[in-house]
Amino acid sequence: MDIVTGVDIGGSHISCAQVDLAKKEIVPDTLCRKAVNSKEQADVVIGQWCECIQESQSKAGVSGTQLGIAIPAPFDYDEGVCLIKNQDKFDLLYNVNIKTQLAERLGIERCDIAMQNDASCFMLGEMIVGAGKDFEYALGVTLGTGLGSASAKGMNIQDASLWNTPFRDSIAEEYISNRWFLNSYFERSGLRFPGVKELAKHAETDSTARDLFIEFGDSLGQFIEIAMEQVNYNPQVIILGGNIAKSNHLFLDATQTYLSNKQIELPIKIAELGELSAIYGAAGLWKNLNFSGNSLPQL
Protein backbone atom coordinates (compact mmCIF):
# COMPACT_ATOMS: atom_id res chain seq x y z
CA MET A 1 0.00 0.00 0.00
CA ASP A 2 1.55 3.29 -1.11
CA ILE A 3 -0.67 5.60 0.93
CA VAL A 4 -0.31 5.59 4.72
CA THR A 5 -2.18 7.83 7.15
CA GLY A 6 0.29 9.64 9.37
CA VAL A 7 -1.30 10.76 12.64
CA ASP A 8 -0.04 13.08 15.38
CA ILE A 9 -2.10 12.99 18.59
CA GLY A 10 -1.49 15.53 21.33
CA GLY A 11 -3.23 16.51 24.52
CA SER A 12 -5.34 19.17 22.80
CA HIS A 13 -5.43 18.23 19.13
CA ILE A 14 -5.08 15.63 16.41
CA SER A 15 -3.33 16.28 13.10
CA CYS A 16 -3.13 13.82 10.25
CA ALA A 17 -2.33 13.62 6.56
CA GLN A 18 -1.93 11.03 3.86
CA VAL A 19 1.69 10.20 3.09
CA ASP A 20 2.54 8.73 -0.31
CA LEU A 21 5.34 6.29 0.42
CA ALA A 22 6.18 5.87 -3.27
CA LYS A 23 6.50 9.60 -3.96
CA LYS A 24 7.82 10.23 -0.45
CA GLU A 25 5.58 13.22 0.17
CA ILE A 26 2.38 14.27 1.84
CA VAL A 27 -0.58 14.00 -0.52
CA PRO A 28 -1.61 17.60 -1.29
CA ASP A 29 -4.59 19.04 0.56
CA THR A 30 -4.99 16.08 2.92
CA LEU A 31 -3.76 17.73 6.12
CA CYS A 32 -6.53 17.75 8.72
CA ARG A 33 -6.28 19.25 12.21
CA LYS A 34 -8.94 19.27 14.90
CA ALA A 35 -9.04 20.45 18.50
CA VAL A 36 -9.76 17.67 20.98
CA ASN A 37 -10.88 17.90 24.60
CA SER A 38 -8.68 15.22 26.14
CA LYS A 39 -10.73 15.27 29.36
CA GLU A 40 -13.83 13.89 27.63
CA GLN A 41 -15.01 10.28 27.87
CA ALA A 42 -12.94 7.75 25.91
CA ASP A 43 -15.69 7.19 23.33
CA VAL A 44 -15.88 10.92 22.60
CA VAL A 45 -12.11 11.41 22.26
CA ILE A 46 -11.60 8.35 20.05
CA GLY A 47 -14.61 9.39 17.97
CA GLN A 48 -13.03 12.81 17.35
CA TRP A 49 -9.78 11.12 16.31
CA CYS A 50 -11.64 8.91 13.85
CA GLU A 51 -13.50 11.87 12.34
CA CYS A 52 -10.21 13.63 11.60
CA ILE A 53 -8.59 10.49 10.18
CA GLN A 54 -11.56 9.77 7.93
CA GLU A 55 -11.76 13.38 6.77
CA SER A 56 -8.11 13.28 5.72
CA GLN A 57 -8.57 9.94 3.96
CA SER A 58 -11.64 11.26 2.17
CA LYS A 59 -9.64 14.19 0.82
CA ALA A 60 -7.25 11.70 -0.78
CA GLY A 61 -10.04 9.41 -2.01
CA VAL A 62 -8.78 6.49 0.10
CA SER A 63 -10.10 4.48 3.03
CA GLY A 64 -8.92 1.66 5.23
CA THR A 65 -5.28 2.68 4.95
CA GLN A 66 -2.59 1.62 7.37
CA LEU A 67 -2.10 4.07 10.22
CA GLY A 68 1.11 5.34 11.75
CA ILE A 69 0.31 7.11 15.01
CA ALA A 70 2.47 9.38 17.16
CA ILE A 71 0.99 9.61 20.68
CA PRO A 72 2.39 10.68 24.07
CA ALA A 73 3.83 8.35 26.70
CA PRO A 74 3.30 6.49 28.93
CA PHE A 75 1.78 4.04 26.48
CA ASP A 76 2.10 0.36 25.58
CA TYR A 77 2.83 0.96 21.92
CA ASP A 78 2.96 -2.70 20.89
CA GLU A 79 -0.38 -3.60 22.45
CA GLY A 80 -1.94 -0.19 21.88
CA VAL A 81 -2.98 0.44 25.49
CA CYS A 82 -3.04 3.97 26.93
CA LEU A 83 -1.23 4.24 30.29
CA ILE A 84 -1.58 7.99 30.74
CA LYS A 85 -3.01 9.18 34.06
CA ASN A 86 -2.69 12.17 36.37
CA GLN A 87 -1.26 14.31 33.55
CA ASP A 88 -4.28 16.57 32.99
CA LYS A 89 -5.10 14.70 29.78
CA PHE A 90 -6.58 11.38 28.67
CA ASP A 91 -7.40 10.27 32.23
CA LEU A 92 -10.54 8.52 30.99
CA LEU A 93 -8.54 6.62 28.36
CA TYR A 94 -6.38 4.94 30.99
CA ASN A 95 -6.08 1.19 30.27
CA VAL A 96 -8.19 1.55 27.11
CA ASN A 97 -6.90 -0.45 24.12
CA ILE A 98 -6.68 2.33 21.55
CA LYS A 99 -5.61 0.00 18.73
CA THR A 100 -8.69 -2.16 19.17
CA GLN A 101 -11.03 0.82 19.36
CA LEU A 102 -9.60 2.49 16.27
CA ALA A 103 -9.56 -0.74 14.27
CA GLU A 104 -13.23 -1.41 15.01
CA ARG A 105 -14.36 2.12 14.23
CA LEU A 106 -12.27 2.50 11.06
CA GLY A 107 -12.94 -1.00 9.73
CA ILE A 108 -9.31 -2.10 9.65
CA GLU A 109 -7.24 -4.76 11.40
CA ARG A 110 -5.26 -4.09 14.56
CA CYS A 111 -2.14 -5.12 12.66
CA ASP A 112 -2.72 -2.17 10.32
CA ILE A 113 -1.98 0.27 13.15
CA ALA A 114 1.58 1.16 14.20
CA MET A 115 2.11 3.41 17.22
CA GLN A 116 5.13 5.15 18.66
CA ASN A 117 6.00 7.95 21.08
CA ASP A 118 5.17 11.37 19.69
CA ALA A 119 8.53 12.84 20.65
CA SER A 120 10.35 10.03 18.84
CA CYS A 121 8.31 10.54 15.68
CA PHE A 122 8.83 14.29 15.86
CA MET A 123 12.56 13.79 16.28
CA LEU A 124 12.84 11.35 13.40
CA GLY A 125 11.22 13.76 10.97
CA GLU A 126 13.38 16.66 12.11
CA MET A 127 16.61 14.66 11.91
CA ILE A 128 15.96 13.74 8.30
CA VAL A 129 14.49 16.83 6.67
CA GLY A 130 14.27 19.42 9.44
CA ALA A 131 16.36 21.21 12.03
CA GLY A 132 18.58 18.20 12.80
CA LYS A 133 19.53 17.20 9.26
CA ASP A 134 23.08 18.56 9.59
CA PHE A 135 23.79 16.84 12.92
CA GLU A 136 24.62 13.30 13.99
CA TYR A 137 23.67 13.53 17.68
CA ALA A 138 20.74 15.52 19.00
CA LEU A 139 18.37 15.86 21.91
CA GLY A 140 14.76 16.73 21.09
CA VAL A 141 12.32 18.35 23.51
CA THR A 142 8.63 18.89 22.76
CA LEU A 143 6.86 21.62 24.72
CA GLY A 144 3.08 21.53 24.90
CA THR A 145 0.32 19.96 26.96
CA GLY A 146 3.04 17.64 28.22
CA LEU A 147 6.82 17.43 28.09
CA GLY A 148 8.29 15.05 25.50
CA SER A 149 11.90 14.13 24.87
CA ALA A 150 13.81 11.96 22.42
CA SER A 151 17.44 11.20 21.70
CA ALA A 152 18.93 10.83 18.24
CA LYS A 153 22.14 9.04 17.36
CA GLY A 154 22.13 9.28 13.63
CA MET A 155 18.83 7.72 12.55
CA ASN A 156 18.54 5.72 15.77
CA ILE A 157 15.75 7.52 17.62
CA GLN A 158 14.73 6.63 21.16
CA ASP A 159 12.18 7.99 23.57
CA ALA A 160 14.19 9.66 26.34
CA SER A 161 11.09 9.64 28.60
CA LEU A 162 12.30 12.47 30.81
CA TRP A 163 8.90 14.03 31.51
CA ASN A 164 8.82 12.62 35.06
CA THR A 165 12.42 13.47 35.89
CA PRO A 166 12.64 14.76 39.51
CA PHE A 167 12.61 18.54 39.27
CA ARG A 168 12.52 20.99 42.17
CA ASP A 169 9.66 19.86 44.42
CA SER A 170 7.93 17.70 41.79
CA ILE A 171 8.68 16.44 38.27
CA ALA A 172 9.84 18.31 35.16
CA GLU A 173 6.46 18.26 33.40
CA GLU A 174 4.86 20.19 36.26
CA TYR A 175 7.12 23.15 35.45
CA ILE A 176 7.53 22.77 31.69
CA SER A 177 4.07 22.46 30.18
CA ASN A 178 0.96 24.40 29.23
CA ARG A 179 -0.63 23.91 32.63
CA TRP A 180 2.33 25.48 34.44
CA PHE A 181 1.91 28.63 32.37
CA LEU A 182 -1.85 28.87 32.76
CA ASN A 183 -1.98 27.97 36.44
CA SER A 184 0.93 30.25 37.32
CA TYR A 185 -0.59 33.20 35.51
CA PHE A 186 -3.92 32.64 37.24
CA GLU A 187 -2.21 32.50 40.64
CA ARG A 188 -0.43 35.80 39.98
CA SER A 189 -3.15 37.74 38.20
CA GLY A 190 -6.47 36.05 38.90
CA LEU A 191 -7.07 35.79 35.14
CA ARG A 192 -7.53 32.64 33.06
CA PHE A 193 -6.25 32.19 29.52
CA PRO A 194 -7.33 29.33 27.23
CA GLY A 195 -3.79 28.54 26.09
CA VAL A 196 -0.16 29.61 25.93
CA LYS A 197 -0.65 31.04 22.44
CA GLU A 198 -3.10 33.60 23.82
CA LEU A 199 -0.89 34.26 26.84
CA ALA A 200 2.07 34.93 24.55
CA LYS A 201 0.09 37.62 22.73
CA HIS A 202 -0.85 39.14 26.07
CA ALA A 203 2.83 39.20 27.09
CA GLU A 204 3.40 42.02 24.59
CA THR A 205 1.68 44.41 27.01
CA ASP A 206 1.69 42.52 30.34
CA SER A 207 4.86 42.35 32.43
CA THR A 208 3.46 39.50 34.56
CA ALA A 209 3.06 37.34 31.47
CA ARG A 210 6.50 38.36 30.16
CA ASP A 211 8.10 37.42 33.45
CA LEU A 212 6.45 34.02 33.30
CA PHE A 213 8.04 33.28 29.92
CA ILE A 214 11.45 34.30 31.25
CA GLU A 215 10.95 32.04 34.27
CA PHE A 216 9.89 29.23 31.95
CA GLY A 217 13.03 29.74 29.86
CA ASP A 218 15.17 29.43 32.96
CA SER A 219 13.35 26.22 33.95
CA LEU A 220 13.84 24.83 30.45
CA GLY A 221 17.57 25.53 30.68
CA GLN A 222 17.74 23.68 33.99
CA PHE A 223 15.82 20.77 32.48
CA ILE A 224 18.17 20.59 29.50
CA GLU A 225 21.14 20.54 31.87
CA ILE A 226 19.60 17.59 33.75
CA ALA A 227 18.59 15.85 30.52
CA MET A 228 22.13 16.01 29.16
CA GLU A 229 23.30 14.21 32.30
CA GLN A 230 20.63 11.52 31.83
CA VAL A 231 21.43 10.59 28.22
CA ASN A 232 24.58 8.58 27.52
CA TYR A 233 25.97 10.72 24.69
CA ASN A 234 26.90 14.33 23.96
CA PRO A 235 24.27 15.98 21.76
CA GLN A 236 25.48 18.48 19.17
CA VAL A 237 22.19 20.36 19.11
CA ILE A 238 18.96 20.76 21.06
CA ILE A 239 15.79 20.74 18.93
CA LEU A 240 12.65 22.29 20.41
CA GLY A 241 9.20 21.41 19.12
CA GLY A 242 5.60 21.63 20.29
CA ASN A 243 3.20 24.54 20.45
CA ILE A 244 5.03 26.43 23.21
CA ALA A 245 8.18 26.48 21.06
CA LYS A 246 6.34 28.83 18.70
CA SER A 247 6.70 31.50 21.40
CA ASN A 248 10.45 30.96 21.72
CA HIS A 249 11.18 34.67 21.23
CA LEU A 250 9.80 35.19 24.73
CA PHE A 251 11.85 32.56 26.59
CA LEU A 252 14.79 31.26 24.54
CA ASP A 253 17.21 34.00 25.62
CA ALA A 254 16.66 32.97 29.25
CA THR A 255 17.27 29.32 28.37
CA GLN A 256 20.52 30.10 26.58
CA THR A 257 21.65 32.39 29.40
CA TYR A 258 21.11 29.63 31.96
CA LEU A 259 23.05 27.09 29.88
CA SER A 260 25.86 29.55 29.17
CA ASN A 261 26.23 30.19 32.89
CA LYS A 262 26.64 26.44 33.31
CA GLN A 263 29.31 26.35 30.56
CA ILE A 264 26.98 24.43 28.25
CA GLU A 265 27.51 25.84 24.79
CA LEU A 266 25.55 24.21 21.98
CA PRO A 267 22.97 25.46 19.47
CA ILE A 268 19.25 25.36 20.21
CA LYS A 269 17.14 25.08 17.09
CA ILE A 270 13.39 25.34 16.66
CA ALA A 271 11.72 22.51 14.75
CA GLU A 272 11.35 23.40 11.09
CA LEU A 273 8.55 21.05 10.04
CA GLY A 274 5.98 21.96 12.67
CA GLU A 275 3.29 19.33 13.06
CA LEU A 276 4.45 17.63 9.86
CA SER A 277 7.55 16.20 11.55
CA ALA A 278 5.55 13.79 13.71
CA ILE A 279 3.27 12.95 10.77
CA TYR A 280 6.24 12.04 8.57
CA GLY A 281 7.82 10.06 11.37
CA ALA A 282 4.59 8.21 12.17
CA ALA A 283 4.00 7.27 8.54
CA GLY A 284 7.61 6.12 8.33
CA LEU A 285 6.84 3.35 10.84
CA TRP A 286 5.55 1.38 7.86
CA LYS A 287 8.31 1.70 5.32
CA ASN A 288 11.76 3.13 4.87
CA LEU A 289 11.33 6.52 3.25
CA ASN A 290 14.03 8.36 1.37
CA PHE A 291 14.12 12.13 1.68
CA SER A 292 17.04 13.88 0.00
CA GLY A 293 19.11 10.70 0.11
CA ASN A 294 18.48 9.99 3.79
CA SER A 295 16.95 6.77 5.03
CA LEU A 296 13.96 6.92 7.37
CA PRO A 297 14.12 3.59 9.19
CA GLN A 298 11.40 1.78 11.05
CA LEU A 299 11.45 2.67 14.73
Side-chain angles (χ1 to χ4, degrees):
M1 183 179 291
D2 287 340
I3 304 296
V4 170
T5 304
V7 183
D8 174 27
I9 292 176
S12 59
H13 77 284
I14 175 174
S15 299
C16 63
Q18 305 309 302
V19 179
D20 189 322
L21 298 182
K23 295 182 178 179
K24 309 171 186 71
E25 64 184 18
I26 286 180
V27 177
D29 302 319
T30 63
L31 181 64
C32 178
R33 192 181 199 279
K34 291 186 179 296
V36 175
N37 183 354
S38 61
K39 297 180 182 180
E40 286 277 11
Q41 296 289 331
D43 284 350
V44 174
V45 174
I46 296 172
Q48 292 173 330
W49 291 346
C50 289
E51 288 176 8
C52 190
I53 290 168
Q54 289 172 323
E55 181 179 329
S56 175
Q57 291 176 342
S58 177
K59 290 179 178 180
V62 300
S63 62
T65 64
Q66 292 171 317
L67 304 182
I69 299 177
I71 192 167
F75 204 99
D76 184 333
Y77 294 103
D78 290 333
E79 292 299 318
V81 177
C82 180
L83 301 176
I84 300 171
K85 63 178 179 178
N86 301 324
Q87 293 189 38
D88 200 37
K89 61 185 178 184
F90 302 137
D91 279 343
L92 299 180
L93 275 70
Y94 181 71
N95 266 341
V96 173
N97 193 306
I98 305 300
K99 271 190 182 180
T100 298
Q101 292 285 327
L102 289 175
E104 290 177 353
R105 292 176 185 236
L106 296 171
I108 59 178
E109 300 296 324
R110 275 175 46 87
C111 61
D112 288 327
I113 302 174
M115 309 181 85
Q116 187 51 268
N117 177 266
D118 57 340
S120 297
C121 290
F122 145 78
M123 192 63 170
L124 188 53
E126 287 294 328
M127 286 300 289
I128 293 165
V129 292
K133 62 181 179 292
D134 296 324
F135 299 90
E136 184 72 14
Y137 302 103
L139 175 66
V141 180
T142 54
L143 309 170
T145 307
L147 173 63
S149 55
S151 62
K153 300 177 183 179
M155 292 300 106
N156 179 14
I157 312 295
Q158 294 185 348
D159 174 19
S161 194
L162 298 173
W163 63 273
N164 60 351
T165 298
F167 194 87
R168 297 177 185 167
D169 61 348
S170 184
I171 60 174
E173 190 171 80
E174 291 301 318
Y175 288 89
I176 306 171
S177 63
N178 284 351
R179 63 181 176 274
W180 178 84
F181 267 112
L182 303 182
N183 290 340
S184 296
Y185 188 75
F186 176 73
E187 290 171 1
R188 301 179 193 191
S189 71
L191 299 176
R192 288 281 187 194
F193 274 81
V196 175
K197 178 181 178 181
E198 292 78 9
L199 187 59
K201 292 180 179 178
H202 192 62
E204 296 175 5
T205 56
D206 185 331
S207 61
T208 300
R210 283 198 302 274
D211 289 345
L212 272 183
F213 279 94
I214 294 170
E215 186 177 334
F216 175 85
D218 191 74
S219 296
L220 178 59
Q222 184 177 349
F223 170 74
I224 290 172
E225 178 189 22
I226 295 171
M228 291 180 63
E229 295 172 354
Q230 297 287 330
V231 298
N232 59 354
Y233 68 103
N234 293 318
Q236 300 165 307
V237 63
I238 304 294
I239 301 174
L240 300 182
N243 287 329
I244 295 177
K246 297 175 183 177
S247 302
N248 67 87
H249 61 288
L250 294 171
F251 67 80
L252 195 54
D253 283 349
T255 301
Q256 292 172 321
T257 296
Y258 179 94
L259 293 174
S260 180
N261 288 338
K262 296 294 181 176
Q263 287 75 53
I264 299 174
E265 303 289 348
L266 76 169
I268 298 178
K269 292 186 172 290
I270 305 302
E272 295 176 0
L273 302 177
E275 62 191 351
L276 297 184
S277 56
I279 290 174
Y280 272 126
L285 297 173
W286 285 104
K287 184 178 180 180
N288 285 356
L289 298 179
N290 192 300
F291 296 95
S292 303
N294 292 304
S295 175
L296 181 59
Q298 183 172 338
L299 288 174

Short mmCIF file of all heavy atoms in Angstrom, two decimals, residues 124 127-128 132 135-136 152-157 294-299:
data_model
loop_
_atom_site.label_atom_id
_atom_site.label_comp_id
_atom_site.label_asym_id
_atom_site.label_seq_id
_atom_site.Cartn_x
_atom_site.Cartn_y
_atom_site.Cartn_z
N LEU A 124 12.44 12.05 14.62
CA LEU A 124 12.84 11.35 13.40
C LEU A 124 12.64 12.22 12.17
O LEU A 124 13.53 12.35 11.32
CB LEU A 124 12.05 10.05 13.27
CG LEU A 124 12.45 9.09 12.17
CD1 LEU A 124 13.93 8.77 12.23
CD2 LEU A 124 11.63 7.82 12.26
N MET A 127 15.24 15.07 12.19
CA MET A 127 16.61 14.66 11.91
C MET A 127 16.84 14.42 10.42
O MET A 127 17.95 14.57 9.91
CB MET A 127 16.95 13.38 12.68
CG MET A 127 17.16 13.60 14.18
SD MET A 127 18.50 14.75 14.57
CE MET A 127 19.94 13.76 14.10
N ILE A 128 15.79 14.08 9.71
CA ILE A 128 15.96 13.74 8.30
C ILE A 128 15.80 14.95 7.39
O ILE A 128 16.64 15.20 6.52
CB ILE A 128 14.97 12.63 7.91
CG1 ILE A 128 15.38 11.35 8.63
CG2 ILE A 128 14.95 12.40 6.41
CD1 ILE A 128 14.33 10.30 8.64
N GLY A 132 17.46 19.05 12.41
CA GLY A 132 18.58 18.20 12.80
C GLY A 132 19.32 17.55 11.65
O GLY A 132 20.22 16.74 11.87
N PHE A 135 23.16 17.31 11.69
CA PHE A 135 23.79 16.84 12.92
C PHE A 135 23.67 15.32 13.04
O PHE A 135 22.73 14.72 12.54
CB PHE A 135 23.15 17.51 14.14
CG PHE A 135 23.28 19.00 14.15
CD1 PHE A 135 22.30 19.80 13.56
CD2 PHE A 135 24.38 19.62 14.73
CE1 PHE A 135 22.41 21.19 13.56
CE2 PHE A 135 24.50 21.01 14.74
CZ PHE A 135 23.51 21.79 14.16
N GLU A 136 24.64 14.74 13.75
CA GLU A 136 24.62 13.30 13.99
C GLU A 136 23.96 12.96 15.31
O GLU A 136 23.21 11.99 15.41
CB GLU A 136 26.06 12.76 13.99
CG GLU A 136 26.17 11.25 14.13
CD GLU A 136 25.74 10.50 12.88
OE1 GLU A 136 25.59 11.14 11.81
OE2 GLU A 136 25.55 9.27 12.98
N ALA A 152 18.61 11.25 19.60
CA ALA A 152 18.93 10.83 18.24
C ALA A 152 20.43 10.59 18.13
O ALA A 152 21.23 11.47 18.42
CB ALA A 152 18.49 11.89 17.24
N LYS A 153 20.76 9.37 17.71
CA LYS A 153 22.14 9.04 17.36
C LYS A 153 22.09 8.61 15.90
O LYS A 153 21.77 7.46 15.60
CB LYS A 153 22.67 7.92 18.24
CG LYS A 153 22.68 8.25 19.73
CD LYS A 153 23.14 7.05 20.55
CE LYS A 153 23.08 7.35 22.03
NZ LYS A 153 23.50 6.18 22.85
N GLY A 154 22.36 9.55 15.03
CA GLY A 154 22.13 9.28 13.63
C GLY A 154 20.64 9.11 13.41
O GLY A 154 19.83 9.91 13.85
N MET A 155 20.25 8.00 12.76
CA MET A 155 18.83 7.72 12.55
C MET A 155 18.27 6.79 13.61
O MET A 155 17.14 6.31 13.50
CB MET A 155 18.62 7.12 11.15
CG MET A 155 18.89 8.10 10.01
SD MET A 155 17.80 9.57 10.06
CE MET A 155 18.94 10.83 10.64
N ASN A 156 19.03 6.52 14.65
CA ASN A 156 18.54 5.72 15.77
C ASN A 156 17.86 6.65 16.76
O ASN A 156 18.51 7.39 17.48
CB ASN A 156 19.69 4.96 16.43
CG ASN A 156 19.24 4.13 17.60
OD1 ASN A 156 18.03 3.89 17.77
ND2 ASN A 156 20.17 3.67 18.41
N ILE A 157 16.53 6.61 16.79
CA ILE A 157 15.75 7.52 17.62
C ILE A 157 15.16 6.74 18.79
O ILE A 157 14.57 5.68 18.60
CB ILE A 157 14.60 8.16 16.82
CG1 ILE A 157 15.12 8.72 15.49
CG2 ILE A 157 13.92 9.24 17.65
CD1 ILE A 157 16.08 9.85 15.61
N ASN A 294 18.40 10.52 2.45
CA ASN A 294 18.48 9.99 3.79
C ASN A 294 17.47 8.87 3.99
O ASN A 294 16.38 8.92 3.45
CB ASN A 294 18.23 11.07 4.83
CG ASN A 294 19.34 12.09 4.85
OD1 ASN A 294 20.49 11.75 5.04
ND2 ASN A 294 19.00 13.35 4.62
N SER A 295 17.85 7.88 4.77
CA SER A 295 16.95 6.77 5.03
C SER A 295 16.13 7.03 6.29
O SER A 295 16.66 7.45 7.31
CB SER A 295 17.74 5.48 5.21
OG SER A 295 16.89 4.42 5.57
N LEU A 296 14.84 6.81 6.20
CA LEU A 296 13.96 6.92 7.37
C LEU A 296 13.60 5.53 7.83
O LEU A 296 12.75 4.86 7.26
CB LEU A 296 12.69 7.70 6.98
CG LEU A 296 11.65 7.93 8.09
CD1 LEU A 296 12.27 8.69 9.24
CD2 LEU A 296 10.47 8.70 7.52
N PRO A 297 14.31 4.99 8.82
CA PRO A 297 14.12 3.59 9.19
C PRO A 297 12.90 3.38 10.07
O PRO A 297 12.38 4.31 10.67
CB PRO A 297 15.40 3.30 10.00
CG PRO A 297 15.72 4.60 10.65
CD PRO A 297 15.31 5.66 9.67
N GLN A 298 12.49 2.14 10.14
CA GLN A 298 11.40 1.78 11.05
C GLN A 298 11.90 1.93 12.47
O GLN A 298 13.01 1.56 12.82
CB GLN A 298 10.99 0.33 10.79
CG GLN A 298 9.82 -0.11 11.64
CD GLN A 298 9.33 -1.48 11.22
OE1 GLN A 298 9.56 -1.91 10.10
NE2 GLN A 298 8.63 -2.14 12.11
N LEU A 299 11.07 2.51 13.33
CA LEU A 299 11.45 2.67 14.73
C LEU A 299 11.34 1.35 15.45
O LEU A 299 10.50 0.55 15.15
CB LEU A 299 10.54 3.71 15.39
CG LEU A 299 10.76 5.16 14.99
CD1 LEU A 299 9.69 6.05 15.63
CD2 LEU A 299 12.12 5.64 15.40
#
